[in-house]
């Protein structure tokens, strides 16, 4: 409860983790708000079906609030001027000069606040690709503020969890992105860092994942606990194994 | 599909034309946008298809890659190879392999009559409507987006017209995006005025493509863009990124390794749509060559090291290049560190 998990990928695509968390939380029965900035709804739906969860059904029964970034953006720029119930679009910072993510935050907060009294399981906020916000014109400070507000609202007040995906790279030239990622790393409770193998492309081992539990954030001042595994992605599943022990090698 | 142009724009232009030509032959509609060459000229210059049956390839359709039945929401941003490499499968996720094209001949006008094509030539558009309220993005990009959105809506590519029985695909080609001709100064200065214009444009374009039955190829002079952060963001926003590195004018032209080829193909990213994994091929080292009639992309293979009396210097050279080759590029992993064997 109240945990902030950071998914970080370097030189490879960590979106399989997003799919995993999405189906995991939906199966657990939590209310999920998914901000999907880079892919369409049908993409996630198709993958989730392979993993055994139906997103359309979850959406219909109100368990899933899906913000499809691409569609919202189009509605904002090309849609007719009628606004339903006076609600501003969550992505309106794209067309305004002031890069202020408040509208997005309000959207998230209203969708995750439980209407009735059923707050037995904390709500979950899932963001696919925070780095896209920077590409769309938000400043790094605005993005960090946004995350901070979300943490206060979701983790502390609603006792929920947040999972955020970012892209990063050690020799990246995108300083704004690196700033955001580093800052988020310091504040996360759990970091899942997915990297491509340093030795190059391999058919059987798609990459390695580092699991960092930030125990140093707690009052005991212990060291962070780091575990490293390698993985291979298959059509419906991802297999993890200890380094060097891939099935191809054994 | 996103293509980084090679230095002199020769080969990327060729790929661009192939994409459009394939569209004509398949009966798709076309939308061509350019700021530097009038689209009419581009269209006239498309290569003619080779209808010789001996070249036609018999690979069956792979059922997974293209959801041809599932038109409504999903779309194809497919990286299509017109010419298969001589080796086994080509690194592509698309299915029906298209046609071969003869580069020395241009397409005959009868083929164009069956399709509809739309054009966007920036100097013309600017003169038609000199003032346009944009606000958040470079005005040239904003106009292009408006134009694309209008065509998609009017021609019903986004499924908005349920009466339309024939579903067709719109192939969009945008040439030299990001160059100075589009009014964007990312290629000329280190601190451009609006650093987000290009990325915002791509994001909105991605939204438009996802919502409709279209595929788009964009060529970008990546070597001119000073701020590398932009290229990283652009790569994140695209489904497929391919870089073309031609050997013209570089030291590799005379390198004996590459004597058969005209350039290298770097596949930086492949689409991962509708599934957890993507279809990755075995090989990552690809090179292209332009023969008199055909443009082929094939696996790069080293010429055999036949002579014993090769001097030390050049042997070292070959070894260096071999190391460079072995660290292939790909969506899965990019190994930049060279290992000693």
């Amino acid at each position: 409860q109240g945990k902030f998990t950071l998914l970080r990928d370097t030189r490879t695509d960590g979106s399989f983790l997003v799919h995993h968390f999405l189906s995991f939380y939906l199966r657990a029965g939590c209310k999920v708000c998914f901000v999907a900035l880079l892919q369409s709804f049908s993409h996630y739906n198709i993958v989730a079906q392979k993993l055994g969860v139906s997103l359309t059904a979850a959406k219909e029964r109100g368990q899933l609030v899906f913000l499809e970034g691409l569609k919202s953006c189009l509605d904002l720029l090309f849609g007719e001027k009628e606004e339903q119930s006076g609600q501003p679009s969550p992505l309106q910072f794209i067309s305004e000069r002031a890069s202020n993510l408040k509208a997005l935050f309000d959207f998230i907060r209203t969708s995750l606040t439980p209407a009735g009294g059923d707050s037995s399981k904390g709500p979950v906020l899932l963001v696919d690709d925070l780095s896209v916000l920077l590409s769309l014109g938000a400043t790094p400070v605005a993005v960090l503020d946004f995350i901070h507000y979300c943490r206060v609202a979701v983790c502390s007040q609603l006792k929920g969890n947040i999972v955020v995906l970012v892209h990063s790279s050690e020799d990246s030239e995108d300083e704004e992105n690196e700033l955001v990622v580093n800052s988020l790393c310091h504040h996360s409770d759990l970091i899942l860092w997915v990297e491509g193998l340093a030795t190059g492309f391999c058919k059987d081992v798609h990459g390695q994942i580092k699991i960092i539990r930030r125990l140093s954030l707690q009052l005991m001042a212990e060291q962070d606990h780091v575990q490293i595994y390698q993985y291979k992605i298959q059509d419906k599943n991802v297999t993890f194994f200890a380094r060097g022990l891939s099935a191809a090698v054994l | 599909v996103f293509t980084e142009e090679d230095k002199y724009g020769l080969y990327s232009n060729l790929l661009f034309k192939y994409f459009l030509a394939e569209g004509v032959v398949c009966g798709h509609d076309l939308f061509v946008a350019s700021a530097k060459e009038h689209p009419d000229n581009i269209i006239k210059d498309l290569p003619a298809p080779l209808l010789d049956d001996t070249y036609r390839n018999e690979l069956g359709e792979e059922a997974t890659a293209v959801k041809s039945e599932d038109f409504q929401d999903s779309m194809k941003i497919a990286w299509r190879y017109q010419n298969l490499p001589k080796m086994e499968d080509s690194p592509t996720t698309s299915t029906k392999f298209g046609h071969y094209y003869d580069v020395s001949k241009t397409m005959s006008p009868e083929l164009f009559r069956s399709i509809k094509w739309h054009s966007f030539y920036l100097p013309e558009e600017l003169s038609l409507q000199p003032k346009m309220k944009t606000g958040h993005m470079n005005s040239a990009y904003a106009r292009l987006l408006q134009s694309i959105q209008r065509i998609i809506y009017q021609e019903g590519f986004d499924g908005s017209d349920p009466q339309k029985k024939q579903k067709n695909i719109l192939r969009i080609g945008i040439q030299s995006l990001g160059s100075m001709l589009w009014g964007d100064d990312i290629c000329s200065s280190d601190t451009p005025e609006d650093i987000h214009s290009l990325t915002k444009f791509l994001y909105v374009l991605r939204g438009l493509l996802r919502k409709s039955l279209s595929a788009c190829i964009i060529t970008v002079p990546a070597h001119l863009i000073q701020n590398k952060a932009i290229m990283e963001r652009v790569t994140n926003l695209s489904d497929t990124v391919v870089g073309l590195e031609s050997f013209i004018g570089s030291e590799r032209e005379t390198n004996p390794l590459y004597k058969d080829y005209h350039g290298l193909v770097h596949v930086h990213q492949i689409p991962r749509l509708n599934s957890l994994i993507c279809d990755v091929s075995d090989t990552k080292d690809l090179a292209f060559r332009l023969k008199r009639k055909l443009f082929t992309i094939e696996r790069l293979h080293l010429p055999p090291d036949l002579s014993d009396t090769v001097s030390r210097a050049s042997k070292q050279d070959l070894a260096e290049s071999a190391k460079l080759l072995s660290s292939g590029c790909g969506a899965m992993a990019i190994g930049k560190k060279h290992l000693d064997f």
Side-chain angles (χ1 to χ4, degrees):
Chain A
Q1 299 286 64
K3 292 278 176 239
F4 184 94
T5 304
L6 184 68
L7 306 176
R8 180 175 174 176
D9 63 28
T10 300
R11 296 192 301 260
T12 181
D13 189 7
S15 56
F16 68 93
L17 287 173
V18 174
H19 294 298
H20 158 72
F21 275 105
L22 181 60
S23 39
F24 171 71
Y25 281 119
L26 281 177
R27 264 196 289 244
C30 306
K31 177 151 191 197
V32 178
C33 174
F34 187 13
V35 178
L37 291 172
L38 213 49
Q39 300 278 20
S40 62
F41 177 72
S42 60
H43 165 76
Y44 292 107
N45 198 11
I46 294 180
V47 182
Q49 274 172 355
K50 288 191 190 166
L51 297 175
V53 175
S54 164
L55 292 187
T56 17
K59 220 163 100 158
E60 271 160 31
R61 61 172 182 259
Q63 193 190 4
L64 171 67
V65 177
F66 194 95
L67 172 61
E68 191 173 337
L70 292 169
K71 197 161 85 117
S72 258
C73 185
L74 284 183
D75 289 336
L76 175 68
L77 293 178
F78 296 121
E80 289 91 35
K81 293 301 176 190
E82 28 167 300
E83 286 191 351
Q84 317 133 323
S85 68
Q87 261 193 346
S89 162
L91 291 183
Q92 70 183 50
F93 71 94
I94 297 179
S95 60
E96 291 173 355
R97 277 291 170 187
S99 74
N100 174 343
L101 295 167
K102 185 164 187 306
L104 186 55
F105 167 67
D106 286 332
F107 174 83
I108 292 173
R109 194 181 41 179
T110 35
S111 52
L112 284 183
T113 315
D118 64 324
S119 48
S120 53
K121 298 193 176 104
V124 177
L125 168 64
L126 205 53
V127 180
D128 185 356
D129 219 346
L130 208 57
S131 315
V132 174
L133 289 176
L134 289 171
S135 307
L136 289 174
T139 57
V141 177
V143 174
L144 289 172
D145 283 343
F146 163 71
I147 290 286
H148 180 73
Y149 272 85
C150 287
R151 285 195 74 175
V152 169
V154 177
C155 295
S156 316
Q157 288 172 354
L158 297 172
K159 302 277 180 279
N161 295 328
I162 301 185
V163 179
V164 168
L165 173 70
V166 287
H167 296 299
S168 88
S169 164
E170 267 134 22
D171 49 356
S172 157
E173 304 241 351
D174 191 350
E175 288 168 359
E176 293 184 346
N177 193 24
E178 291 308 301
L179 182 70
V180 172
V181 172
N182 280 328
S183 176
L184 288 179
C185 275
H186 287 302
H187 295 302
S188 324
D189 296 304
L190 174 65
I191 305 178
L192 296 175
W193 191 345
V194 174
E195 284 179 288
L197 292 178
T199 47
F201 169 68
C202 167
K203 214 167 48 155
D204 295 303
V205 179
H206 289 148
Q208 92 178 6
I209 177 170
K210 237 193 262 197
I211 304 177
I212 306 177
R213 287 179 227 277
R214 310 276 334 274
L215 301 171
S216 52
L217 284 180
Q218 295 165 10
L219 291 174
M220 302 295 229
E222 288 170 21
Q223 288 253 325
D224 290 342
H225 184 220
V226 182
Q227 286 167 305
I228 303 184
Y229 296 104
Q230 290 177 336
Y231 65 89
K232 174 177 174 162
I233 308 179
Q234 290 147 340
D235 193 38
K236 291 194 183 180
N237 197 4
V238 180
T239 39
F240 292 91
F241 38 85
R243 278 185 292 183
L245 292 181
S246 142
V249 168
L250 289 176
Chain B
V1 181
F2 195 84
T3 311
E4 295 176 352
E5 281 178 14
D6 52 306
K7 256 207 179 126
Y8 299 104
L10 290 169
Y11 299 111
S12 53
N13 240 350
L14 205 52
L15 277 179
F16 187 73
K17 290 185 184 153
Y18 267 109
F19 184 82
L20 296 174
E22 178 70 10
V24 174
V25 175
C26 290
H28 300 158
D29 286 354
L30 295 183
F31 181 104
V32 183
S34 167
K36 107 178 127 158
E37 204 183 319
H38 199 285
D40 291 340
N41 293 339
I42 298 179
I43 297 276
K44 283 202 204 101
D45 214 11
L46 292 181
L50 273 175
L51 294 172
D52 192 355
D53 274 307
T54 55
Y55 283 100
R56 193 156 294 186
N57 142 22
E58 251 118 35
L59 277 186
E61 302 199 316
E62 297 157 36
T64 48
V66 169
K67 314 262 180 277
S68 47
E69 260 55 63
D70 187 21
F71 271 147
Q72 200 46 40
D73 272 300
S74 67
M75 40 65 68
K76 283 193 281 192
I77 296 191
W79 168 227
R80 287 168 162 250
Y81 274 47
Q82 265 64 29
N83 300 298
L84 283 187
K86 308 288 196 312
M87 313 287 146
E88 15 145 57
D89 18 285
S90 57
T92 172
T93 56
S94 94
T95 62
K96 230 170 32 155
F97 284 97
H99 310 79
Y100 286 90
Y101 294 91
D102 181 353
V103 181
S104 55
K105 297 201 253 209
T106 56
M107 204 177 253
S108 63
E110 291 101 41
L111 284 169
F112 295 126
R113 270 185 224 132
S114 56
I115 61 148
K116 243 172 151 176
W117 62 275
H118 316 275
S119 71
F120 180 97
Y121 183 46
L122 187 64
E124 250 175 32
E125 299 283 328
L126 284 176
S127 60
L128 282 177
Q129 222 193 356
K131 277 278 174 245
M132 209 180 104
K133 174 174 84 77
T134 45
H136 53 273
M137 180 190 313
N138 181 340
S139 71
Y141 294 155
R143 275 175 213 261
L144 179 54
L145 281 175
Q146 288 269 5
S147 183
I148 294 179
Q149 194 263 344
R150 199 185 61 230
I151 300 285
I152 289 182
Y153 181 66
Q154 279 172 357
E155 304 287 328
F157 288 107
D158 56 354
S160 54
D161 185 5
Q163 262 102 37
K164 215 172 193 293
K165 277 171 247 159
Q166 275 270 340
K167 286 197 178 163
N168 202 355
I169 298 181
L170 177 68
R171 283 187 184 230
I172 305 177
I174 307 179
Q175 204 182 35
S176 272
L177 199 63
S179 71
M180 283 184 28
L181 295 165
W182 287 94
D184 197 352
D185 58 353
I186 47 177
C187 287
S188 54
S189 88
D190 218 355
T191 47
E193 195 186 306
D194 187 1
I195 211 174
H196 297 118
S197 243
L198 181 60
T199 42
K200 276 189 196 170
F201 170 80
L202 284 177
Y203 189 76
V204 181
L205 181 63
R206 194 182 164 100
L208 281 174
L209 292 174
R210 283 283 194 274
K211 211 175 87 139
S212 63
L213 302 172
S214 14
C216 178
I217 183 171
I218 307 178
T219 62
V220 167
H223 56 276
L224 292 174
I225 295 184
Q226 311 280 6
N227 186 342
K228 293 299 167 200
I230 298 185
M231 278 317 295
E232 288 186 17
R233 292 182 184 173
V234 158
T235 304
N236 270 336
L237 287 171
S238 323
D239 286 315
T240 312
V241 179
V242 175
L244 292 174
E245 179 188 343
S246 81
F247 295 145
I248 302 177
S250 87
E251 61 191 10
R252 290 188 180 174
E253 202 169 7
T254 47
N255 191 328
L257 255 190
Y258 298 127
K259 67 172 159 55
D260 287 329
Y261 302 102
H262 288 112
L264 293 175
V265 176
H266 300 289
V267 180
H268 294 299
Q269 188 158 286
I270 17 188
R272 206 187 268 247
L273 283 175
N274 296 335
S275 88
L276 277 177
I277 56 172
C278 50
D279 185 20
V280 190
S281 81
D282 290 332
T283 173
K284 292 275 173 279
D285 302 316
L286 300 169
F288 63 86
R289 81 170 104 178
L290 179 61
K291 297 198 273 222
R292 193 175 54 88
K293 276 193 170 185
L294 238 39
F295 175 80
T296 43
I297 298 181
E298 29 186 88
R299 242 192 191 167
L300 178 61
H301 38 247
L302 300 178
D305 193 12
L306 291 169
S307 138
D308 299 294
T309 56
V310 172
S311 69
R312 264 199 152 218
S314 66
K315 241 206 162 80
Q316 277 246 337
D317 224 21
L318 281 179
E320 263 303 302
S321 323
K323 271 198 210 162
L324 276 173
L325 285 180
S326 61
S327 63
C329 320
M332 300 296 193
I334 300 180
K336 291 206 179 98
K337 311 203 178 104
H338 303 305
L339 295 186
D340 284 332
F341 289 103

